[in-house]
Amino acid sequence: MHIGILGSGDVGRALGKGFADEGHEVMIGSRSPDSEKLAAWKEAAGKRARTGTFADAAEFAGIAVLATVWSGTENAIRLADPKRFEGKLVIDVTNPLVFEEGKPPALALGHTDSGGEQVQRWLPGAHVVKAFNIVGHALMVHPDLPGGPPDMFICGDDAHAKSQVREILGAFGWPAIDIGGIEGARLLEPMCILWVRYGALTGTWQHAFKLLHK
Ligand SMILES: NC(=O)c1ccc[n+]([C@@H]2O[C@H](COP(=O)([O-])OP(=O)(O)OC[C@H]3O[C@@H](n4cnc5c(N)ncnc54)[C@H](OP(=O)(O)O)[C@@H]3O)[C@@H](O)[C@H]2O)c1
């Protein structure tokens, strides 16, 4: 599969290498596709890895991954052109965070709306699935934790798109828990804040969530 990733940060590069290691062809899109950071990523990720503009990555994508800072996400989508995502699965990893000096990150929206829903509105022709947003980038691919595999919660409006994400998660070592339509992102995005808060309080950043049930 051709995977087009919008975002050259820690998430885009970690997932990009993960997809390439699984045998997918990967393009990371960035405003600076020739940066040193991305040259190093290409070197590490191997022959299936390439870089381009946001538009190149969206065009390349059979499956797209959105991994941009929230404040730049609408712009990245605009630069890529929403038409290029039509009919495609878009895995939304973003968290709608606002950062204020000296304060922990907070959500820019919530309760009655979410980043996932906003992304779906920006990309009305795409099948947006929220996934990977509840854990740090270092654990996104093959999380190796003593308590066994953690769970990834996902949500989105299209059943086929969610089945594709479930398959990807399985290959990356994650059981997936489907919590329904994209409005479930109202619940998943605060989980990022919980993840960060626990990390800040304990000074450990190697944790993830698991749902236990009978
Ligand atoms: N870091 C984590 O462990 C983690 C975990 C879960 C979820 N998330 C979420 O995943 C997303 C990516 O996180 P990250 O830490 O990998 O990277 P990040 O630093 O939050 O974002 C980097 C990306 O955002 C793009 N960007 C920044 N300003 C922009 C603008 N004005 N217009 C267009 N694009 C812009 C950058 O583009 P250029 O390449 O052109 O510079 C870059 O590709 C965020 O929404 C974050 O909240 C992060």
Side-chain angles (χ1 to χ4, degrees):
M1 181 59 82
H2 280 197
I3 312 292
I5 299 177
L6 277 74
S8 64
D10 290 333
V11 170
R13 297 195 321 279
L15 288 178
K17 180 165 187 325
F19 278 112
D21 288 347
E22 289 298 322
H24 299 285
E25 297 295 324
V26 181
M27 182 184 289
I28 284 188
S30 166
R31 292 165 301 173
S32 313
D34 300 321
S35 66
E36 271 179 36
K37 172 179 80 173
L38 282 177
W41 172 78
K42 262 196 293 195
E43 179 78 23
K47 62 181 187 334
R48 296 192 180 87
R50 52 184 76 63
T51 62
T53 63
F54 286 131
D56 293 334
E59 184 69 28
F60 179 81
I63 292 174
V65 177
L66 192 54
T68 44
V69 71
W70 182 248
S71 58
T73 297
E74 184 176 14
N75 187 43
I77 288 173
R78 189 184 57 76
L79 291 170
D81 188 348
K83 287 196 192 71
R84 290 198 168 90
F85 299 87
E86 268 170 29
K88 295 179 183 176
L89 160 61
V90 176
I91 303 174
D92 175 21
V93 190
T94 65
N95 278 308
L97 301 180
V98 282
F99 298 94
E100 217 180 304
E101 187 74 34
K103 289 191 180 168
L107 290 173
L109 69 173
H111 295 295
T112 57
D113 197 6
S114 62
E117 289 161 277
Q118 179 60 75
V119 167
Q120 183 66 81
R121 289 194 294 272
W122 284 329
L123 296 173
H127 307 301
V128 176
V129 176
K130 193 98 204 171
F132 291 106
N133 73 299
I134 59 167
V135 72
H137 65 92
L139 289 178
M140 285 181 182
V141 181
H142 300 301
D144 183 14
L145 295 171
D151 290 318
M152 185 62 74
F153 295 92
I154 66 171
C155 64
D157 293 338
D158 186 84
H160 176 63
K162 285 192 285 194
S163 74
Q164 288 177 284
V165 174
R166 184 182 289 281
E167 205 172 307
I168 290 163
L169 283 165
F172 285 179
W174 287 89
I177 298 180
D178 180 357
I179 64 156
I182 192 64
E183 73 285 352
R186 296 175 198 181
L187 305 173
L188 301 192
E189 289 160 6
M191 287 177 76
C192 151
I193 304 285
L194 173 59
W195 188 90
V196 169
R197 189 176 173 106
Y198 179 81
L201 285 171
T202 60
T204 64
W205 300 96
Q206 298 286 314
H207 51 281
F209 299 107
K210 181 142 197 80
L211 185 72
L212 300 178
H213 53 88
K214 274 196 179 178

